Amino acid sequence: MSTMRAVLVFTSGGPEVVRVEEIDRPTAGVGEVLIEVRAAGMNPSDLRGRNGFADLPPQYRPSIARPSVPGADVSGVVVAVGADVTDFEVGDDVYGLVRFPPFDGRGHGRTHAEYVNAPVADLAPKPRRLDHVEAAAAPMAALTAWQQIHRAGAVLPGERVLVVGAAGGVGHFAVQLARSHGAKVVAVASGRHEKFLRELGVDTFVDYTADDPVTAVGTVDAVIDCVGSVGGADAARWLPAVVDGGRLNPITLAFYPPEELSRRGIVTVGTQVSSSGADLRALNELFDAGRLTVAIDSVYPLNEARGAHERAERGHLRGKIVLTTTR
């Protein structure tokens, strides 16, 4: 059987547990294509899976079969098609969020490798205006923002919307998609991201390192919270900024006091991002029209995957981290 290089995690831990080794190459099953990976995005779920979901109480941690291959975002070229596949042909450039969710114990889509087999329902043609690195950075982050806005109703036209963590992977897409949906956007991020976010068209920028961010924000109709808080109450700091009857939209795990939500009629609205080739095709129209751009924080060769994990651990990203398969 042919082999390939892949990122492997043999035990839960920090970036030091990440290795790159040769493993068997997958094949395309029924309703799948085999993709020669050109680039693969990195997401917070990859770090959480690597460390065994240590941020969750033990009873809620999913079982993880080791060694696992991380990764769900991918952009590449179709090199084989399985039975019953009519949507794509060998040679097509595709991108997608592969098998997400649920976490299946084996690393979601297993895209941090030279090849991956993927269901055609999870894929779309790569946007013409994006190269493979940009396309690999888009699926999970762009789909998260798109599905929050278009499925969960996180944004309504004419509203004033706060995006917390606006310079990050999901945040910079949420800013752009909220504006395209007719909202006025308030962005909260470090001051070093102000120029970047103003270029994306935010109406108000708040530097959380220089001002009391809640006071500086004023009042908003809704919050898209891309930072959240797993075990504490940090996310609740934004409650004073939300109008009575407004909405809180957590992208990550967040805690909000239920008593205050109930008293003020504030609704928490959220949806788990899910693989969707159909939603990616809708996003393609925005990418190819130049109305949606992708920010890349950094790019690492597959052999330097540990370095990519170390960069992710340091945080304060502008856009996404991407792995490439260039040797």
Side-chain angles (χ1 to χ4, degrees), residues 9-160:
V9 177
F10 284 86
T11 185
S12 299
E16 71 280 356
V17 305
V18 175
R19 293 159 57 177
V20 177
E21 295 193 2
E22 291 280 334
I23 64 172
D24 290 340
R25 184 186 301 181
T27 58
V30 176
E32 294 181 337
V33 297
L34 181 65
I35 301 170
E36 182 178 356
V37 177
R38 298 297 172 82
M42 178 175 286
N43 293 293
S45 57
D46 300 319
L47 276 64
R48 297 181 71 218
R50 185 207 67 215
N51 68 21
F53 293 89
D55 57 318
L56 296 179
Q59 65 269 30
Y60 296 119
R61 295 173 191 167
S63 175
I64 305 173
R66 303 292 195 192
S68 57
V69 179
D73 281 341
V74 67
S75 183
V77 180
V78 174
V79 293
V81 297
D84 298 333
V85 172
T86 59
D87 295 38
F88 300 106
E89 299 177 348
V90 171
D92 286 348
D93 288 336
V94 296
Y95 80 135
L97 175 65
V98 182
R99 300 186 189 91
F100 196 96
F103 185 81
D104 64 3
R106 294 180 294 164
H108 301 308
R110 301 178 287 283
T111 63
H112 292 180
E114 291 182 306
Y115 293 86
V116 64
N117 55 336
V120 294
D122 296 354
L123 304 173
K126 182 182 72 65
R128 295 184 301 276
R129 290 176 67 104
L130 302 185
D131 62 26
H132 283 293
V133 169
E134 293 168 324
M140 183 177 287
L143 284 173
T144 298
W146 175 269
Q147 291 171 4
Q148 280 282 339
I149 292 170
H150 291 271
R151 289 189 191 175
V155 173
L156 297 177
E159 289 188 325
R160 191 168 190 255

Side-chain angles (χ1 to χ4, degrees), residues 184-197:
K184 295 186 180 299
V185 178
V186 181
V188 171
S190 168
R192 65 192 180 91
H193 298 305
E194 180 174 3
K195 181 176 183 293
F196 164 63
L197 289 167

